[in-house]
PDB file of all heavy atoms in Angstrom:
ATOM      1  N   GLU A   1       0.829  -1.196   0.000  1.00 56.00           N
ATOM      2  CA  GLU A   1       0.000   0.000   0.000  1.00 56.00           C
ATOM      3  C   GLU A   1       0.865   1.247   0.000  1.00 56.00           C
ATOM      4  O   GLU A   1       1.898   1.307   0.640  1.00 56.00           O
ATOM      5  CB  GLU A   1      -0.900   0.031   1.247  1.00 56.00           C
ATOM      6  CG  GLU A   1      -2.033  -0.966   1.186  1.00 56.00           C
ATOM      7  CD  GLU A   1      -2.999  -0.783   2.328  1.00 56.00           C
ATOM      8  OE1 GLU A   1      -3.209   0.359   2.742  1.00 56.00           O
ATOM      9  OE2 GLU A   1      -3.528  -1.783   2.819  1.00 56.00           O
ATOM     10  N   GLY A   2       0.419   2.247  -0.739  1.00 67.00           N
ATOM     11  CA  GLY A   2       1.121   3.511  -0.771  1.00 67.00           C
ATOM     12  C   GLY A   2       0.690   4.392   0.386  1.00 67.00           C
ATOM     13  O   GLY A   2      -0.203   4.047   1.145  1.00 67.00           O
ATOM     14  N   THR A   3       1.331   5.515   0.496  1.00 88.00           N
ATOM     15  CA  THR A   3       0.985   6.479   1.526  1.00 88.00           C
ATOM     16  C   THR A   3      -0.158   7.342   1.026  1.00 88.00           C
ATOM     17  O   THR A   3      -0.113   7.853  -0.084  1.00 88.00           O
ATOM     18  CB  THR A   3       2.197   7.366   1.845  1.00 88.00           C
ATOM     19  OG1 THR A   3       3.273   6.532   2.240  1.00 88.00           O
ATOM     20  CG2 THR A   3       1.883   8.338   2.948  1.00 88.00           C
ATOM     21  N   GLN A   4      -1.169   7.497   1.857  1.00 93.00           N
ATOM     22  CA  GLN A   4      -2.299   8.320   1.467  1.00 93.00           C
ATOM     23  C   GLN A   4      -2.084   9.755   1.932  1.00 93.00           C
ATOM     24  O   GLN A   4      -1.529   9.991   2.996  1.00 93.00           O
ATOM     25  CB  GLN A   4      -3.588   7.764   2.049  1.00 93.00           C
ATOM     26  CG  GLN A   4      -3.964   6.434   1.436  1.00 93.00           C
ATOM     27  CD  GLN A   4      -5.256   5.880   1.986  1.00 93.00           C
ATOM     28  OE1 GLN A   4      -5.782   6.387   2.958  1.00 93.00           O
ATOM     29  NE2 GLN A   4      -5.761   4.845   1.365  1.00 93.00           N
ATOM     30  N   ILE A   5      -2.538  10.685   1.097  1.00 95.00           N
ATOM     31  CA  ILE A   5      -2.493  12.092   1.470  1.00 95.00           C
ATOM     32  C   ILE A   5      -3.896  12.662   1.344  1.00 95.00           C
ATOM     33  O   ILE A   5      -4.759  12.097   0.688  1.00 95.00           O
ATOM     34  CB  ILE A   5      -1.499  12.894   0.599  1.00 95.00           C
ATOM     35  CG1 ILE A   5      -1.891  12.847  -0.875  1.00 95.00           C
ATOM     36  CG2 ILE A   5      -0.082  12.398   0.798  1.00 95.00           C
ATOM     37  CD1 ILE A   5      -1.058  13.764  -1.754  1.00 95.00           C
ATOM     38  N   SER A   6      -4.098  13.802   1.997  1.00 96.00           N
ATOM     39  CA  SER A   6      -5.403  14.443   1.969  1.00 96.00           C
ATOM     40  C   SER A   6      -5.271  15.805   1.307  1.00 96.00           C
ATOM     41  O   SER A   6      -4.251  16.493   1.473  1.00 96.00           O
ATOM     42  CB  SER A   6      -5.927  14.599   3.400  1.00 96.00           C
ATOM     43  OG  SER A   6      -7.212  15.181   3.380  1.00 96.00           O
ATOM     44  N   THR A   7      -6.287  16.187   0.548  1.00 97.00           N
ATOM     45  CA  THR A   7      -6.282  17.490  -0.093  1.00 97.00           C
ATOM     46  C   THR A   7      -7.677  18.084  -0.030  1.00 97.00           C
ATOM     47  O   THR A   7      -8.665  17.355   0.022  1.00 97.00           O
ATOM     48  CB  THR A   7      -5.813  17.389  -1.567  1.00 97.00           C
ATOM     49  OG1 THR A   7      -5.664  18.703  -2.096  1.00 97.00           O
ATOM     50  CG2 THR A   7      -6.792  16.620  -2.431  1.00 97.00           C
ATOM     51  N   GLU A   8      -7.736  19.403   0.012  1.00 98.00           N
ATOM     52  CA  GLU A   8      -9.024  20.092  -0.047  1.00 98.00           C
ATOM     53  C   GLU A   8      -9.174  20.694  -1.430  1.00 98.00           C
ATOM     54  O   GLU A   8      -8.264  21.357  -1.926  1.00 98.00           O
ATOM     55  CB  GLU A   8      -9.106  21.198   1.015  1.00 98.00           C
ATOM     56  CG  GLU A   8     -10.450  21.903   1.001  1.00 98.00           C
ATOM     57  CD  GLU A   8     -10.577  22.927   2.119  1.00 98.00           C
ATOM     58  OE1 GLU A   8     -10.972  22.540   3.234  1.00 98.00           O
ATOM     59  OE2 GLU A   8     -10.275  24.103   1.864  1.00 98.00           O
ATOM     60  N   ILE A   9     -10.314  20.451  -2.046  1.00 98.00           N
ATOM     61  CA  ILE A   9     -10.598  20.968  -3.378  1.00 98.00           C
ATOM     62  C   ILE A   9     -11.788  21.908  -3.281  1.00 98.00           C
ATOM     63  O   ILE A   9     -12.826  21.549  -2.709  1.00 98.00           O
ATOM     64  CB  ILE A   9     -10.924  19.817  -4.354  1.00 98.00           C
ATOM     65  CG1 ILE A   9      -9.725  18.870  -4.461  1.00 98.00           C
ATOM     66  CG2 ILE A   9     -11.329  20.361  -5.721  1.00 98.00           C
ATOM     67  CD1 ILE A   9     -10.011  17.594  -5.237  1.00 98.00           C
ATOM     68  N   LYS A  10     -11.633  23.115  -3.826  1.00 98.00           N
ATOM     69  CA  LYS A  10     -12.750  24.061  -3.871  1.00 98.00           C
ATOM     70  C   LYS A  10     -13.608  23.705  -5.076  1.00 98.00           C
ATOM     71  O   LYS A  10     -13.087  23.485  -6.169  1.00 98.00           O
ATOM     72  CB  LYS A  10     -12.245  25.490  -3.985  1.00 98.00           C
ATOM     73  CG  LYS A  10     -11.513  25.957  -2.752  1.00 98.00           C
ATOM     74  CD  LYS A  10     -11.060  27.395  -2.879  1.00 98.00           C
ATOM     75  CE  LYS A  10     -10.288  27.808  -1.644  1.00 98.00           C
ATOM     76  NZ  LYS A  10      -9.787  29.182  -1.750  1.00 98.00           N
ATOM     77  N   ILE A  11     -14.926  23.649  -4.861  1.00 98.00           N
ATOM     78  CA  ILE A  11     -15.849  23.248  -5.918  1.00 98.00           C
ATOM     79  C   ILE A  11     -16.884  24.341  -6.141  1.00 98.00           C
ATOM     80  O   ILE A  11     -17.491  24.836  -5.193  1.00 98.00           O
ATOM     81  CB  ILE A  11     -16.567  21.933  -5.550  1.00 98.00           C
ATOM     82  CG1 ILE A  11     -15.543  20.828  -5.298  1.00 98.00           C
ATOM     83  CG2 ILE A  11     -17.542  21.525  -6.653  1.00 98.00           C
ATOM     84  CD1 ILE A  11     -16.123  19.554  -4.766  1.00 98.00           C
ATOM     85  N   GLY A  12     -17.074  24.691  -7.402  1.00 97.00           N
ATOM     86  CA  GLY A  12     -18.080  25.684  -7.757  1.00 97.00           C
ATOM     87  C   GLY A  12     -19.217  25.031  -8.526  1.00 97.00           C
ATOM     88  O   GLY A  12     -19.002  24.052  -9.244  1.00 97.00           O
ATOM     89  N   GLY A  13     -20.431  25.558  -8.351  1.00 97.00           N
ATOM     90  CA  GLY A  13     -21.565  25.074  -9.117  1.00 97.00           C
ATOM     91  C   GLY A  13     -22.474  24.115  -8.371  1.00 97.00           C
ATOM     92  O   GLY A  13     -23.468  23.662  -8.922  1.00 97.00           O
ATOM     93  N   MET A  14     -22.152  23.801  -7.116  1.00 96.00           N
ATOM     94  CA  MET A  14     -23.025  22.915  -6.334  1.00 96.00           C
ATOM     95  C   MET A  14     -24.199  23.733  -5.803  1.00 96.00           C
ATOM     96  O   MET A  14     -24.014  24.828  -5.300  1.00 96.00           O
ATOM     97  CB  MET A  14     -22.278  22.300  -5.144  1.00 96.00           C
ATOM     98  CG  MET A  14     -21.228  21.303  -5.515  1.00 96.00           C
ATOM     99  SD  MET A  14     -20.631  20.357  -4.086  1.00 96.00           S
ATOM    100  CE  MET A  14     -19.928  21.623  -3.048  1.00 96.00           C
ATOM    101  N   SER A  15     -25.411  23.171  -5.916  1.00 96.00           N
ATOM    102  CA  SER A  15     -26.582  23.902  -5.444  1.00 96.00           C
ATOM    103  C   SER A  15     -27.471  23.089  -4.500  1.00 96.00           C
ATOM    104  O   SER A  15     -28.386  23.648  -3.909  1.00 96.00           O
ATOM    105  CB  SER A  15     -27.412  24.380  -6.638  1.00 96.00           C
ATOM    106  OG  SER A  15     -27.816  23.269  -7.421  1.00 96.00           O
ATOM    107  N   CYS A  16     -27.215  21.787  -4.377  1.00 96.00           N
ATOM    108  CA  CYS A  16     -28.090  20.956  -3.547  1.00 96.00           C
ATOM    109  C   CYS A  16     -27.360  19.691  -3.096  1.00 96.00           C
ATOM    110  O   CYS A  16     -26.247  19.423  -3.532  1.00 96.00           O
ATOM    111  CB  CYS A  16     -29.344  20.582  -4.328  1.00 96.00           C
ATOM    112  SG  CYS A  16     -28.994  19.552  -5.764  1.00 96.00           S
ATOM    113  N   GLN A  17     -28.036  18.910  -2.259  1.00 96.00           N
ATOM    114  CA  GLN A  17     -27.437  17.663  -1.773  1.00 96.00           C
ATOM    115  C   GLN A  17     -27.255  16.660  -2.905  1.00 96.00           C
ATOM    116  O   GLN A  17     -26.394  15.791  -2.839  1.00 96.00           O
ATOM    117  CB  GLN A  17     -28.288  17.057  -0.652  1.00 96.00           C
ATOM    118  CG  GLN A  17     -28.186  17.804   0.665  1.00 96.00           C
ATOM    119  CD  GLN A  17     -26.766  17.851   1.207  1.00 96.00           C
ATOM    120  OE1 GLN A  17     -26.027  16.870   1.156  1.00 96.00           O
ATOM    121  NE2 GLN A  17     -26.374  18.999   1.724  1.00 96.00           N
ATOM    122  N   GLY A  18     -28.045  16.775  -3.968  1.00 96.00           N
ATOM    123  CA  GLY A  18     -27.862  15.904  -5.119  1.00 96.00           C
ATOM    124  C   GLY A  18     -26.495  16.125  -5.759  1.00 96.00           C
ATOM    125  O   GLY A  18     -25.833  15.178  -6.186  1.00 96.00           O
ATOM    126  N   CYS A  19     -26.070  17.398  -5.803  1.00 96.00           N
ATOM    127  CA  CYS A  19     -24.738  17.725  -6.336  1.00 96.00           C
ATOM    128  C   CYS A  19     -23.657  17.088  -5.460  1.00 96.00           C
ATOM    129  O   CYS A  19     -22.674  16.540  -5.963  1.00 96.00           O
ATOM    130  CB  CYS A  19     -24.530  19.239  -6.370  1.00 96.00           C
ATOM    131  SG  CYS A  19     -25.651  20.130  -7.452  1.00 96.00           S
ATOM    132  N   VAL A  20     -23.860  17.189  -4.156  1.00 97.00           N
ATOM    133  CA  VAL A  20     -22.905  16.629  -3.197  1.00 97.00           C
ATOM    134  C   VAL A  20     -22.772  15.120  -3.411  1.00 97.00           C
ATOM    135  O   VAL A  20     -21.663  14.583  -3.478  1.00 97.00           O
ATOM    136  CB  VAL A  20     -23.350  16.934  -1.743  1.00 97.00           C
ATOM    137  CG1 VAL A  20     -22.527  16.155  -0.733  1.00 97.00           C
ATOM    138  CG2 VAL A  20     -23.255  18.431  -1.478  1.00 97.00           C
ATOM    139  N   LYS A  21     -23.904  14.434  -3.548  1.00 97.00           N
ATOM    140  CA  LYS A  21     -23.884  12.979  -3.751  1.00 97.00           C
ATOM    141  C   LYS A  21     -23.237  12.625  -5.087  1.00 97.00           C
ATOM    142  O   LYS A  21     -22.497  11.650  -5.191  1.00 97.00           O
ATOM    143  CB  LYS A  21     -25.304  12.416  -3.681  1.00 97.00           C
ATOM    144  CG  LYS A  21     -25.852  12.367  -2.276  1.00 97.00           C
ATOM    145  CD  LYS A  21     -27.215  11.709  -2.241  1.00 97.00           C
ATOM    146  CE  LYS A  21     -27.743  11.662  -0.820  1.00 97.00           C
ATOM    147  NZ  LYS A  21     -29.042  11.008  -0.733  1.00 97.00           N
ATOM    148  N   ASN A  22     -23.529  13.420  -6.113  1.00 97.00           N
ATOM    149  CA  ASN A  22     -22.961  13.192  -7.441  1.00 97.00           C
ATOM    150  C   ASN A  22     -21.433  13.273  -7.387  1.00 97.00           C
ATOM    151  O   ASN A  22     -20.736  12.357  -7.827  1.00 97.00           O
ATOM    152  CB  ASN A  22     -23.523  14.217  -8.428  1.00 97.00           C
ATOM    153  CG  ASN A  22     -23.076  13.984  -9.853  1.00 97.00           C
ATOM    154  OD1 ASN A  22     -22.387  13.031 -10.167  1.00 97.00           O
ATOM    155  ND2 ASN A  22     -23.469  14.893 -10.720  1.00 97.00           N
ATOM    156  N   ILE A  23     -20.917  14.350  -6.826  1.00 97.00           N
ATOM    157  CA  ILE A  23     -19.466  14.538  -6.749  1.00 97.00           C
ATOM    158  C   ILE A  23     -18.833  13.480  -5.850  1.00 97.00           C
ATOM    159  O   ILE A  23     -17.785  12.922  -6.175  1.00 97.00           O
ATOM    160  CB  ILE A  23     -19.130  15.956  -6.259  1.00 97.00           C
ATOM    161  CG1 ILE A  23     -19.579  16.985  -7.303  1.00 97.00           C
ATOM    162  CG2 ILE A  23     -17.636  16.095  -5.976  1.00 97.00           C
ATOM    163  CD1 ILE A  23     -19.543  18.416  -6.826  1.00 97.00           C
ATOM    164  N   GLY A  24     -19.461  13.203  -4.722  1.00 97.00           N
ATOM    165  CA  GLY A  24     -18.938  12.176  -3.822  1.00 97.00           C
ATOM    166  C   GLY A  24     -18.841  10.825  -4.507  1.00 97.00           C
ATOM    167  O   GLY A  24     -17.855  10.109  -4.353  1.00 97.00           O
ATOM    168  N   GLY A  25     -19.865  10.489  -5.301  1.00 97.00           N
ATOM    169  CA  GLY A  25     -19.863   9.218  -6.021  1.00 97.00           C
ATOM    170  C   GLY A  25     -18.793   9.158  -7.089  1.00 97.00           C
ATOM    171  O   GLY A  25     -18.120   8.139  -7.259  1.00 97.00           O
ATOM    172  N   VAL A  26     -18.621  10.267  -7.805  1.00 97.00           N
ATOM    173  CA  VAL A  26     -17.588  10.341  -8.844  1.00 97.00           C
ATOM    174  C   VAL A  26     -16.209  10.131  -8.230  1.00 97.00           C
ATOM    175  O   VAL A  26     -15.401   9.346  -8.721  1.00 97.00           O
ATOM    176  CB  VAL A  26     -17.657  11.706  -9.583  1.00 97.00           C
ATOM    177  CG1 VAL A  26     -16.406  11.954 -10.391  1.00 97.00           C
ATOM    178  CG2 VAL A  26     -18.881  11.747 -10.482  1.00 97.00           C
ATOM    179  N   LEU A  27     -15.938  10.838  -7.132  1.00 98.00           N
ATOM    180  CA  LEU A  27     -14.627  10.735  -6.484  1.00 98.00           C
ATOM    181  C   LEU A  27     -14.399   9.349  -5.882  1.00 98.00           C
ATOM    182  O   LEU A  27     -13.321   8.775  -6.033  1.00 98.00           O
ATOM    183  CB  LEU A  27     -14.478  11.816  -5.408  1.00 98.00           C
ATOM    184  CG  LEU A  27     -14.388  13.247  -5.929  1.00 98.00           C
ATOM    185  CD1 LEU A  27     -14.465  14.241  -4.779  1.00 98.00           C
ATOM    186  CD2 LEU A  27     -13.120  13.461  -6.735  1.00 98.00           C
ATOM    187  N   ALA A  28     -15.405   8.810  -5.215  1.00 96.00           N
ATOM    188  CA  ALA A  28     -15.268   7.504  -4.554  1.00 96.00           C
ATOM    189  C   ALA A  28     -14.994   6.390  -5.563  1.00 96.00           C
ATOM    190  O   ALA A  28     -14.361   5.391  -5.217  1.00 96.00           O
ATOM    191  CB  ALA A  28     -16.516   7.190  -3.740  1.00 96.00           C
ATOM    192  N   ALA A  29     -15.461   6.559  -6.805  1.00 97.00           N
ATOM    193  CA  ALA A  29     -15.283   5.525  -7.824  1.00 97.00           C
ATOM    194  C   ALA A  29     -13.894   5.533  -8.450  1.00 97.00           C
ATOM    195  O   ALA A  29     -13.520   4.597  -9.151  1.00 97.00           O
ATOM    196  CB  ALA A  29     -16.334   5.695  -8.915  1.00 97.00           C
ATOM    197  N   LEU A  30     -13.117   6.571  -8.180  1.00 97.00           N
ATOM    198  CA  LEU A  30     -11.793   6.676  -8.793  1.00 97.00           C
ATOM    199  C   LEU A  30     -10.793   5.745  -8.100  1.00 97.00           C
ATOM    200  O   LEU A  30     -10.814   5.613  -6.871  1.00 97.00           O
ATOM    201  CB  LEU A  30     -11.274   8.115  -8.704  1.00 97.00           C
ATOM    202  CG  LEU A  30     -12.063   9.156  -9.486  1.00 97.00           C
ATOM    203  CD1 LEU A  30     -11.557  10.559  -9.152  1.00 97.00           C
ATOM    204  CD2 LEU A  30     -11.955   8.901 -10.976  1.00 97.00           C
ATOM    205  N   PRO A  31      -9.909   5.105  -8.866  1.00 96.00           N
ATOM    206  CA  PRO A  31      -8.899   4.247  -8.252  1.00 96.00           C
ATOM    207  C   PRO A  31      -7.934   5.079  -7.407  1.00 96.00           C
ATOM    208  O   PRO A  31      -7.532   6.163  -7.816  1.00 96.00           O
ATOM    209  CB  PRO A  31      -8.186   3.619  -9.452  1.00 96.00           C
ATOM    210  CG  PRO A  31      -8.438   4.562 -10.586  1.00 96.00           C
ATOM    211  CD  PRO A  31      -9.776   5.184 -10.321  1.00 96.00           C
ATOM    212  N   GLY A  32      -7.650   4.594  -6.216  1.00 96.00           N
ATOM    213  CA  GLY A  32      -6.715   5.293  -5.345  1.00 96.00           C
ATOM    214  C   GLY A  32      -7.369   6.227  -4.343  1.00 96.00           C
ATOM    215  O   GLY A  32      -6.716   6.723  -3.438  1.00 96.00           O
ATOM    216  N   VAL A  33      -8.679   6.478  -4.492  1.00 97.00           N
ATOM    217  CA  VAL A  33      -9.375   7.362  -3.554  1.00 97.00           C
ATOM    218  C   VAL A  33      -9.883   6.534  -2.381  1.00 97.00           C
ATOM    219  O   VAL A  33     -10.658   5.596  -2.551  1.00 97.00           O
ATOM    220  CB  VAL A  33     -10.549   8.106  -4.236  1.00 97.00           C
ATOM    221  CG1 VAL A  33     -11.358   8.889  -3.208  1.00 97.00           C
ATOM    222  CG2 VAL A  33     -10.018   9.041  -5.317  1.00 97.00           C
TER     223      VAL A  33
END
């Protein structure tokens, strides 16, 4: 296993919890996240 790091990303264009779930799902599906 590699070393994990944390980063904060500023996101523009979110207007509701649906946006939050959409982005969370996109990120969670990426390898290494």
Side-chain angles (χ1 to χ4, degrees):
E1 287 188 34
T3 303
Q4 292 181 350
I5 61 172
S6 182
T7 187
E8 182 176 274
I9 299 172
K10 293 182 182 178
I11 302 173
M14 291 192 298
S15 59
C16 64
Q17 287 300 319
C19 297
V20 169
K21 286 184 180 181
N22 185 3
I23 294 169
V26 165
L27 292 171
L30 295 172
V33 173

